[in-house]
Amino acid sequence: MSGISHATVSRLPRYLRLLEELEGAHETVSSDDLAVAAGVNAANVRRDLSDLEFQGTRGVGYSVPSLGDRIRRELGIESRRLVAIIGAGNLGTALARYDGLAKRGFDVTAIYDTDPNRVGQSIGDVQIQRMEDMPMDCKVGCFDMAILAVPANAAQSVTDLLVKEGVHSILNFAPVRVSVPEGVAVRQVDLSTELQILSYYG
Amino acid sequence: MSGISHATVSRLPRYLRLLEELEGAHETVSSDDLAVAAGVNAANVRRDLSDLEFQGTRGVGYSVPSLGDRIRRELGIESRRLVAIIGAGNLGTALARYDGLAKRGFDVTAIYDTDPNRVGQSIGDVQIQRMEDMPMDCKVGCFDMAILAVPANAAQSVTDLLVKEGVHSILNFAPVRVSVPEGVAVRQVDLSTELQILSYYG
């Protein structure tokens, strides 16, 4: 991991989105097009890519396949990542069915729930398992990232269990902050943030 | 609307999140604490708030209630906003049940679906209605923002219908871009972006 800024990291998926649309059809992309994709200006793009030590060609632009590879490597998604979803309620089910994950290199390999009526049912190809099965699945490398789609009051205890089993990337959709020890990355997704930003523009 | 940058706008909800946690318990907040909440540095915070023409007091910080009010006014959320959810599948249902929306000032006042088996059922206090009822509800001011939780292949036609009825704030969870005329704000939520950023840190 190089020491690029958080703002740069958060723009990389947006650049990658455009690059993946262009791959196969275009060889190069301009900083202007990348800027539009990320909602910043072209100077930002050039600085971001220079932080990645990625060079463009004046008057030509950046190589689409090379820049895509470079960003995937930086994000740690050159190979597919295996993801568990904890909680098979409406949100967990929606996430498990969400096309976008597989398309972006994330395979949902396990889904857990505490509700005995949900356990044994399938979402797509994946059967819902008992929470008790999670630690062993984690040990054998069934997944290495987890998405929390549990109620607020269960979020911390599930997080503790995941951390104990060695998971150190957690995406938290539960509407509460969870605390983790150093070395574990958590991102809290607050769906109302998007509505607040939208409210400014709409 | 003042001419503040997109980057500033997107940080305002994060500042507001912290301010709302502090409201009632603390009178002032430092730029350092605001910086941590938004994942930027204190100089960014000072510049953002100066762009809002909001003054702090040296050595004391920023007034929590006044800054909260200023940001809510800037975002256009001083009064509650009325939101329709289009699509009562797993994602639409999860969003309708998501506590965070009401807590942040967004009231879900209507939910629509095309599935006759879903129409008439309720999610919380809100009864699912036929898509055909949407235009009239919109005319009488039942909502002024919409969340799209429909399949990709329905996203554009539903967007066109919303725009025709005068809705100009649309939050799109469908995994496809929709086009809108000038003056209409759309935000595309791509849930895999968060996983990609997490992958960098995890």
Side-chain angles (χ1 to χ4, degrees), chain B residues 50-80:
Chain B
S50 133
D51 286 353
L52 294 184
E53 295 173 5
F54 191 88
Q55 309 288 331
T57 307
R58 183 179 288 271
V60 176
Y62 298 95
S63 156
V64 167
S66 306
L67 181 54
D69 287 346
R70 180 70 190 84
I71 292 178
R72 279 185 286 264
R73 195 166 76 238
E74 189 69 26
L75 291 174
I77 53 173
E78 323 88 295
S79 55
R80 301 187 71 80

PDB file of all heavy atoms in Angstrom, chain B residues 50-80:
ATOM      1  N   SER B  50     -15.356  28.297   5.689  1.00  0.00           N
ATOM      2  CA  SER B  50     -15.211  29.674   5.225  1.00  0.00           C
ATOM      3  C   SER B  50     -15.956  29.855   3.900  1.00  0.00           C
ATOM      4  O   SER B  50     -16.547  30.907   3.645  1.00  0.00           O
ATOM      5  CB  SER B  50     -13.719  30.018   5.160  1.00  0.00           C
ATOM      6  OG  SER B  50     -13.401  30.631   3.952  1.00  0.00           O
ATOM      7  N   ASP B  51     -16.013  28.801   3.074  1.00  0.00           N
ATOM      8  CA  ASP B  51     -16.822  28.870   1.846  1.00  0.00           C
ATOM      9  C   ASP B  51     -18.312  29.046   2.176  1.00  0.00           C
ATOM     10  O   ASP B  51     -19.070  29.618   1.397  1.00  0.00           O
ATOM     11  CB  ASP B  51     -16.652  27.607   0.993  1.00  0.00           C
ATOM     12  CG  ASP B  51     -15.291  27.573   0.296  1.00  0.00           C
ATOM     13  OD1 ASP B  51     -14.556  28.573   0.370  1.00  0.00           O
ATOM     14  OD2 ASP B  51     -14.960  26.531  -0.301  1.00  0.00           O
ATOM     15  N   LEU B  52     -18.727  28.512   3.324  1.00  0.00           N
ATOM     16  CA  LEU B  52     -20.115  28.703   3.773  1.00  0.00           C
ATOM     17  C   LEU B  52     -20.265  30.048   4.486  1.00  0.00           C
ATOM     18  O   LEU B  52     -21.339  30.355   5.003  1.00  0.00           O
ATOM     19  CB  LEU B  52     -20.523  27.596   4.751  1.00  0.00           C
ATOM     20  CG  LEU B  52     -20.635  26.159   4.259  1.00  0.00           C
ATOM     21  CD1 LEU B  52     -21.151  25.269   5.380  1.00  0.00           C
ATOM     22  CD2 LEU B  52     -21.576  26.075   3.063  1.00  0.00           C
ATOM     23  N   GLU B  53     -19.178  30.821   4.547  1.00  0.00           N
ATOM     24  CA  GLU B  53     -19.146  32.087   5.284  1.00  0.00           C
ATOM     25  C   GLU B  53     -19.545  31.878   6.736  1.00  0.00           C
ATOM     26  O   GLU B  53     -20.271  32.671   7.337  1.00  0.00           O
ATOM     27  CB  GLU B  53     -20.023  33.144   4.597  1.00  0.00           C
ATOM     28  CG  GLU B  53     -19.443  33.478   3.220  1.00  0.00           C
ATOM     29  CD  GLU B  53     -20.340  34.381   2.393  1.00  0.00           C
ATOM     30  OE1 GLU B  53     -21.377  34.827   2.908  1.00  0.00           O
ATOM     31  OE2 GLU B  53     -19.992  34.622   1.223  1.00  0.00           O
ATOM     32  N   PHE B  54     -19.052  30.778   7.300  1.00  0.00           N
ATOM     33  CA  PHE B  54     -19.347  30.478   8.701  1.00  0.00           C
ATOM     34  C   PHE B  54     -18.074  30.665   9.521  1.00  0.00           C
ATOM     35  O   PHE B  54     -17.032  30.098   9.203  1.00  0.00           O
ATOM     36  CB  PHE B  54     -19.849  29.034   8.848  1.00  0.00           C
ATOM     37  CG  PHE B  54     -20.401  28.772  10.221  1.00  0.00           C
ATOM     38  CD1 PHE B  54     -21.732  29.028  10.504  1.00  0.00           C
ATOM     39  CD2 PHE B  54     -19.575  28.299  11.240  1.00  0.00           C
ATOM     40  CE1 PHE B  54     -22.237  28.817  11.774  1.00  0.00           C
ATOM     41  CE2 PHE B  54     -20.077  28.087  12.516  1.00  0.00           C
ATOM     42  CZ  PHE B  54     -21.413  28.342  12.781  1.00  0.00           C
ATOM     43  N   GLN B  55     -18.178  31.493  10.558  1.00  0.00           N
ATOM     44  CA  GLN B  55     -17.008  31.863  11.346  1.00  0.00           C
ATOM     45  C   GLN B  55     -16.928  31.074  12.648  1.00  0.00           C
ATOM     46  O   GLN B  55     -17.929  30.933  13.341  1.00  0.00           O
ATOM     47  CB  GLN B  55     -17.073  33.351  11.727  1.00  0.00           C
ATOM     48  CG  GLN B  55     -17.329  34.296  10.564  1.00  0.00           C
ATOM     49  CD  GLN B  55     -16.116  34.415   9.645  1.00  0.00           C
ATOM     50  OE1 GLN B  55     -14.987  34.259  10.111  1.00  0.00           O
ATOM     51  NE2 GLN B  55     -16.347  34.660   8.361  1.00  0.00           N
ATOM     52  N   GLY B  56     -15.733  30.618  12.983  1.00  0.00           N
ATOM     53  CA  GLY B  56     -15.498  30.065  14.309  1.00  0.00           C
ATOM     54  C   GLY B  56     -14.858  31.113  15.194  1.00  0.00           C
ATOM     55  O   GLY B  56     -14.641  32.253  14.775  1.00  0.00           O
ATOM     56  N   THR B  57     -14.562  30.741  16.447  1.00  0.00           N
ATOM     57  CA  THR B  57     -13.884  31.643  17.378  1.00  0.00           C
ATOM     58  C   THR B  57     -12.540  31.022  17.705  1.00  0.00           C
ATOM     59  O   THR B  57     -12.480  29.855  18.114  1.00  0.00           O
ATOM     60  CB  THR B  57     -14.718  31.789  18.671  1.00  0.00           C
ATOM     61  OG1 THR B  57     -16.041  32.158  18.313  1.00  0.00           O
ATOM     62  CG2 THR B  57     -14.102  32.829  19.596  1.00  0.00           C
ATOM     63  N   ARG B  58     -11.473  31.794  17.502  1.00  0.00           N
ATOM     64  CA  ARG B  58     -10.127  31.261  17.726  1.00  0.00           C
ATOM     65  C   ARG B  58      -9.980  30.721  19.146  1.00  0.00           C
ATOM     66  O   ARG B  58     -10.351  31.379  20.113  1.00  0.00           O
ATOM     67  CB  ARG B  58      -9.094  32.366  17.464  1.00  0.00           C
ATOM     68  CG  ARG B  58      -7.658  31.892  17.599  1.00  0.00           C
ATOM     69  CD  ARG B  58      -6.684  33.022  17.316  1.00  0.00           C
ATOM     70  NE  ARG B  58      -6.643  33.356  15.898  1.00  0.00           N
ATOM     71  CZ  ARG B  58      -5.823  32.765  15.019  1.00  0.00           C
ATOM     72  NH1 ARG B  58      -5.008  31.809  15.414  1.00  0.00           N
ATOM     73  NH2 ARG B  58      -5.834  33.104  13.759  1.00  0.00           N
ATOM     74  N   GLY B  59      -9.475  29.506  19.266  1.00  0.00           N
ATOM     75  CA  GLY B  59      -9.244  28.918  20.582  1.00  0.00           C
ATOM     76  C   GLY B  59     -10.498  28.309  21.200  1.00  0.00           C
ATOM     77  O   GLY B  59     -10.429  27.654  22.232  1.00  0.00           O
ATOM     78  N   VAL B  60     -11.656  28.515  20.567  1.00  0.00           N
ATOM     79  CA  VAL B  60     -12.917  27.997  21.122  1.00  0.00           C
ATOM     80  C   VAL B  60     -13.523  26.975  20.167  1.00  0.00           C
ATOM     81  O   VAL B  60     -13.945  25.901  20.568  1.00  0.00           O
ATOM     82  CB  VAL B  60     -13.924  29.148  21.383  1.00  0.00           C
ATOM     83  CG1 VAL B  60     -15.261  28.590  21.854  1.00  0.00           C
ATOM     84  CG2 VAL B  60     -13.346  30.131  22.396  1.00  0.00           C
ATOM     85  N   GLY B  61     -13.535  27.334  18.888  1.00  0.00           N
ATOM     86  CA  GLY B  61     -14.088  26.418  17.899  1.00  0.00           C
ATOM     87  C   GLY B  61     -15.350  26.974  17.279  1.00  0.00           C
ATOM     88  O   GLY B  61     -15.581  28.183  17.266  1.00  0.00           O
ATOM     89  N   TYR B  62     -16.164  26.062  16.741  1.00  0.00           N
ATOM     90  CA  TYR B  62     -17.386  26.445  16.050  1.00  0.00           C
ATOM     91  C   TYR B  62     -18.589  26.125  16.926  1.00  0.00           C
ATOM     92  O   TYR B  62     -18.599  25.109  17.620  1.00  0.00           O
ATOM     93  CB  TYR B  62     -17.515  25.669  14.737  1.00  0.00           C
ATOM     94  CG  TYR B  62     -16.396  25.944  13.762  1.00  0.00           C
ATOM     95  CD1 TYR B  62     -15.271  25.119  13.704  1.00  0.00           C
ATOM     96  CD2 TYR B  62     -16.460  27.041  12.907  1.00  0.00           C
ATOM     97  CE1 TYR B  62     -14.244  25.379  12.811  1.00  0.00           C
ATOM     98  CE2 TYR B  62     -15.432  27.299  12.000  1.00  0.00           C
ATOM     99  CZ  TYR B  62     -14.334  26.471  11.960  1.00  0.00           C
ATOM    100  OH  TYR B  62     -13.318  26.726  11.081  1.00  0.00           O
ATOM    101  N   SER B  63     -19.600  26.976  16.872  1.00  0.00           N
ATOM    102  CA  SER B  63     -20.828  26.720  17.635  1.00  0.00           C
ATOM    103  C   SER B  63     -21.561  25.511  17.035  1.00  0.00           C
ATOM    104  O   SER B  63     -21.874  25.496  15.841  1.00  0.00           O
ATOM    105  CB  SER B  63     -21.737  27.954  17.567  1.00  0.00           C
ATOM    106  OG  SER B  63     -23.080  27.569  17.783  1.00  0.00           O
ATOM    107  N   VAL B  64     -21.824  24.504  17.865  1.00  0.00           N
ATOM    108  CA  VAL B  64     -22.479  23.282  17.382  1.00  0.00           C
ATOM    109  C   VAL B  64     -23.876  23.562  16.829  1.00  0.00           C
ATOM    110  O   VAL B  64     -24.174  23.193  15.679  1.00  0.00           O
ATOM    111  CB  VAL B  64     -22.512  22.199  18.496  1.00  0.00           C
ATOM    112  CG1 VAL B  64     -23.453  21.050  18.124  1.00  0.00           C
ATOM    113  CG2 VAL B  64     -21.097  21.660  18.752  1.00  0.00           C
ATOM    114  N   PRO B  65     -24.771  24.244  17.579  1.00  0.00           N
ATOM    115  CA  PRO B  65     -26.127  24.429  17.020  1.00  0.00           C
ATOM    116  C   PRO B  65     -26.138  25.343  15.793  1.00  0.00           C
ATOM    117  O   PRO B  65     -26.856  25.059  14.826  1.00  0.00           O
ATOM    118  CB  PRO B  65     -26.925  25.031  18.188  1.00  0.00           C
ATOM    119  CG  PRO B  65     -25.917  25.487  19.194  1.00  0.00           C
ATOM    120  CD  PRO B  65     -24.673  24.674  18.985  1.00  0.00           C
ATOM    121  N   SER B  66     -25.329  26.415  15.807  1.00  0.00           N
ATOM    122  CA  SER B  66     -25.360  27.339  14.660  1.00  0.00           C
ATOM    123  C   SER B  66     -24.795  26.684  13.407  1.00  0.00           C
ATOM    124  O   SER B  66     -25.335  26.853  12.307  1.00  0.00           O
ATOM    125  CB  SER B  66     -24.529  28.594  14.940  1.00  0.00           C
ATOM    126  OG  SER B  66     -24.954  29.194  16.131  1.00  0.00           O
ATOM    127  N   LEU B  67     -23.717  25.921  13.566  1.00  0.00           N
ATOM    128  CA  LEU B  67     -23.134  25.279  12.388  1.00  0.00           C
ATOM    129  C   LEU B  67     -24.079  24.197  11.847  1.00  0.00           C
ATOM    130  O   LEU B  67     -24.234  24.052  10.634  1.00  0.00           O
ATOM    131  CB  LEU B  67     -21.759  24.691  12.728  1.00  0.00           C
ATOM    132  CG  LEU B  67     -21.028  23.995  11.570  1.00  0.00           C
ATOM    133  CD1 LEU B  67     -20.899  24.914  10.355  1.00  0.00           C
ATOM    134  CD2 LEU B  67     -19.646  23.518  12.018  1.00  0.00           C
ATOM    135  N   GLY B  68     -24.735  23.479  12.768  1.00  0.00           N
ATOM    136  CA  GLY B  68     -25.723  22.481  12.336  1.00  0.00           C
ATOM    137  C   GLY B  68     -26.821  23.134  11.494  1.00  0.00           C
ATOM    138  O   GLY B  68     -27.155  22.661  10.412  1.00  0.00           O
ATOM    139  N   ASP B  69     -27.345  24.268  12.005  1.00  0.00           N
ATOM    140  CA  ASP B  69     -28.401  24.975  11.266  1.00  0.00           C
ATOM    141  C   ASP B  69     -27.905  25.455   9.909  1.00  0.00           C
ATOM    142  O   ASP B  69     -28.614  25.353   8.911  1.00  0.00           O
ATOM    143  CB  ASP B  69     -28.878  26.192  12.074  1.00  0.00           C
ATOM    144  CG  ASP B  69     -29.724  25.779  13.266  1.00  0.00           C
ATOM    145  OD1 ASP B  69     -30.151  24.605  13.309  1.00  0.00           O
ATOM    146  OD2 ASP B  69     -29.941  26.620  14.154  1.00  0.00           O
ATOM    147  N   ARG B  70     -26.666  25.985   9.913  1.00  0.00           N
ATOM    148  CA  ARG B  70     -26.113  26.526   8.666  1.00  0.00           C
ATOM    149  C   ARG B  70     -25.994  25.419   7.613  1.00  0.00           C
ATOM    150  O   ARG B  70     -26.323  25.612   6.436  1.00  0.00           O
ATOM    151  CB  ARG B  70     -24.731  27.135   8.967  1.00  0.00           C
ATOM    152  CG  ARG B  70     -24.038  27.728   7.766  1.00  0.00           C
ATOM    153  CD  ARG B  70     -24.734  28.998   7.301  1.00  0.00           C
ATOM    154  NE  ARG B  70     -24.222  29.437   6.003  1.00  0.00           N
ATOM    155  CZ  ARG B  70     -24.651  28.979   4.848  1.00  0.00           C
ATOM    156  NH1 ARG B  70     -25.630  28.081   4.815  1.00  0.00           N
ATOM    157  NH2 ARG B  70     -24.146  29.416   3.716  1.00  0.00           N
ATOM    158  N   ILE B  71     -25.506  24.239   8.033  1.00  0.00           N
ATOM    159  CA  ILE B  71     -25.320  23.135   7.076  1.00  0.00           C
ATOM    160  C   ILE B  71     -26.668  22.604   6.608  1.00  0.00           C
ATOM    161  O   ILE B  71     -26.876  22.348   5.419  1.00  0.00           O
ATOM    162  CB  ILE B  71     -24.444  22.026   7.690  1.00  0.00           C
ATOM    163  CG1 ILE B  71     -23.003  22.544   7.864  1.00  0.00           C
ATOM    164  CG2 ILE B  71     -24.460  20.763   6.820  1.00  0.00           C
ATOM    165  CD1 ILE B  71     -22.046  21.554   8.512  1.00  0.00           C
ATOM    166  N   ARG B  72     -27.608  22.455   7.535  1.00  0.00           N
ATOM    167  CA  ARG B  72     -28.943  21.990   7.117  1.00  0.00           C
ATOM    168  C   ARG B  72     -29.553  22.959   6.101  1.00  0.00           C
ATOM    169  O   ARG B  72     -30.187  22.533   5.133  1.00  0.00           O
ATOM    170  CB  ARG B  72     -29.860  21.824   8.341  1.00  0.00           C
ATOM    171  CG  ARG B  72     -29.641  20.504   9.087  1.00  0.00           C
ATOM    172  CD  ARG B  72     -30.645  20.300  10.227  1.00  0.00           C
ATOM    173  NE  ARG B  72     -30.335  21.165  11.350  1.00  0.00           N
ATOM    174  CZ  ARG B  72     -29.628  20.783  12.422  1.00  0.00           C
ATOM    175  NH1 ARG B  72     -29.221  19.535  12.541  1.00  0.00           N
ATOM    176  NH2 ARG B  72     -29.372  21.630  13.390  1.00  0.00           N
ATOM    177  N   ARG B  73     -29.359  24.272   6.347  1.00  0.00           N
ATOM    178  CA  ARG B  73     -29.920  25.250   5.407  1.00  0.00           C
ATOM    179  C   ARG B  73     -29.241  25.115   4.047  1.00  0.00           C
ATOM    180  O   ARG B  73     -29.896  25.113   3.005  1.00  0.00           O
ATOM    181  CB  ARG B  73     -29.743  26.671   5.963  1.00  0.00           C
ATOM    182  CG  ARG B  73     -30.602  27.692   5.256  1.00  0.00           C
ATOM    183  CD  ARG B  73     -30.670  29.002   6.035  1.00  0.00           C
ATOM    184  NE  ARG B  73     -29.446  29.766   5.897  1.00  0.00           N
ATOM    185  CZ  ARG B  73     -28.667  30.153   6.916  1.00  0.00           C
ATOM    186  NH1 ARG B  73     -28.978  29.840   8.158  1.00  0.00           N
ATOM    187  NH2 ARG B  73     -27.568  30.847   6.694  1.00  0.00           N
ATOM    188  N   GLU B  74     -27.908  24.974   4.064  1.00  0.00           N
ATOM    189  CA  GLU B  74     -27.163  24.843   2.812  1.00  0.00           C
ATOM    190  C   GLU B  74     -27.630  23.616   2.025  1.00  0.00           C
ATOM    191  O   GLU B  74     -27.780  23.667   0.808  1.00  0.00           O
ATOM    192  CB  GLU B  74     -25.660  24.728   3.104  1.00  0.00           C
ATOM    193  CG  GLU B  74     -24.785  24.805   1.864  1.00  0.00           C
ATOM    194  CD  GLU B  74     -24.793  26.194   1.230  1.00  0.00           C
ATOM    195  OE1 GLU B  74     -25.041  27.191   1.946  1.00  0.00           O
ATOM    196  OE2 GLU B  74     -24.572  26.285   0.001  1.00  0.00           O
ATOM    197  N   LEU B  75     -27.861  22.515   2.728  1.00  0.00           N
ATOM    198  CA  LEU B  75     -28.268  21.271   2.061  1.00  0.00           C
ATOM    199  C   LEU B  75     -29.755  21.271   1.692  1.00  0.00           C
ATOM    200  O   LEU B  75     -30.203  20.375   0.985  1.00  0.00           O
ATOM    201  CB  LEU B  75     -27.966  20.063   2.954  1.00  0.00           C
ATOM    202  CG  LEU B  75     -26.484  19.719   3.182  1.00  0.00           C
ATOM    203  CD1 LEU B  75     -26.348  18.599   4.209  1.00  0.00           C
ATOM    204  CD2 LEU B  75     -25.813  19.305   1.863  1.00  0.00           C
ATOM    205  N   GLY B  76     -30.491  22.271   2.188  1.00  0.00           N
ATOM    206  CA  GLY B  76     -31.922  22.298   1.887  1.00  0.00           C
ATOM    207  C   GLY B  76     -32.707  21.272   2.669  1.00  0.00           C
ATOM    208  O   GLY B  76     -33.702  20.719   2.183  1.00  0.00           O
ATOM    209  N   ILE B  77     -32.264  21.006   3.911  1.00  0.00           N
ATOM    210  CA  ILE B  77     -32.985  20.022   4.733  1.00  0.00           C
ATOM    211  C   ILE B  77     -33.375  20.620   6.086  1.00  0.00           C
ATOM    212  O   ILE B  77     -33.462  19.917   7.074  1.00  0.00           O
ATOM    213  CB  ILE B  77     -32.149  18.721   4.942  1.00  0.00           C
ATOM    214  CG1 ILE B  77     -30.750  19.051   5.477  1.00  0.00           C
ATOM    215  CG2 ILE B  77     -32.049  17.927   3.656  1.00  0.00           C
ATOM    216  CD1 ILE B  77     -29.946  17.812   5.868  1.00  0.00           C
ATOM    217  N   GLU B  78     -33.630  21.985   6.109  1.00  0.00           N
ATOM    218  CA  GLU B  78     -34.078  22.590   7.376  1.00  0.00           C
ATOM    219  C   GLU B  78     -35.432  22.017   7.756  1.00  0.00           C
ATOM    220  O   GLU B  78     -35.736  21.844   8.930  1.00  0.00           O
ATOM    221  CB  GLU B  78     -34.244  24.102   7.308  1.00  0.00           C
ATOM    222  CG  GLU B  78     -33.264  24.864   6.498  1.00  0.00           C
ATOM    223  CD  GLU B  78     -33.689  24.968   5.049  1.00  0.00           C
ATOM    224  OE1 GLU B  78     -33.744  23.914   4.367  1.00  0.00           O
ATOM    225  OE2 GLU B  78     -33.942  26.092   4.588  1.00  0.00           O
ATOM    226  N   SER B  79     -36.290  21.800   6.761  1.00  0.00           N
ATOM    227  CA  SER B  79     -37.552  21.131   7.061  1.00  0.00           C
ATOM    228  C   SER B  79     -37.484  19.719   6.484  1.00  0.00           C
ATOM    229  O   SER B  79     -36.620  19.403   5.680  1.00  0.00           O
ATOM    230  CB  SER B  79     -38.724  21.910   6.469  1.00  0.00           C
ATOM    231  OG  SER B  79     -38.508  22.089   5.100  1.00  0.00           O
ATOM    232  N   ARG B  80     -38.377  18.874   6.917  1.00  0.00           N
ATOM    233  CA  ARG B  80     -38.321  17.471   6.519  1.00  0.00           C
ATOM    234  C   ARG B  80     -38.614  17.343   5.021  1.00  0.00           C
ATOM    235  O   ARG B  80     -39.401  18.100   4.467  1.00  0.00           O
ATOM    236  CB  ARG B  80     -39.308  16.641   7.357  1.00  0.00           C
ATOM    237  CG  ARG B  80     -38.980  16.744   8.853  1.00  0.00           C
ATOM    238  CD  ARG B  80     -39.818  15.807   9.691  1.00  0.00           C
ATOM    239  NE  ARG B  80     -39.435  14.414   9.512  1.00  0.00           N
ATOM    240  CZ  ARG B  80     -38.388  13.842  10.100  1.00  0.00           C
ATOM    241  NH1 ARG B  80     -37.607  14.537  10.909  1.00  0.00           N
ATOM    242  NH2 ARG B  80     -38.105  12.574   9.893  1.00  0.00           N
TER     243      ARG B  80
END
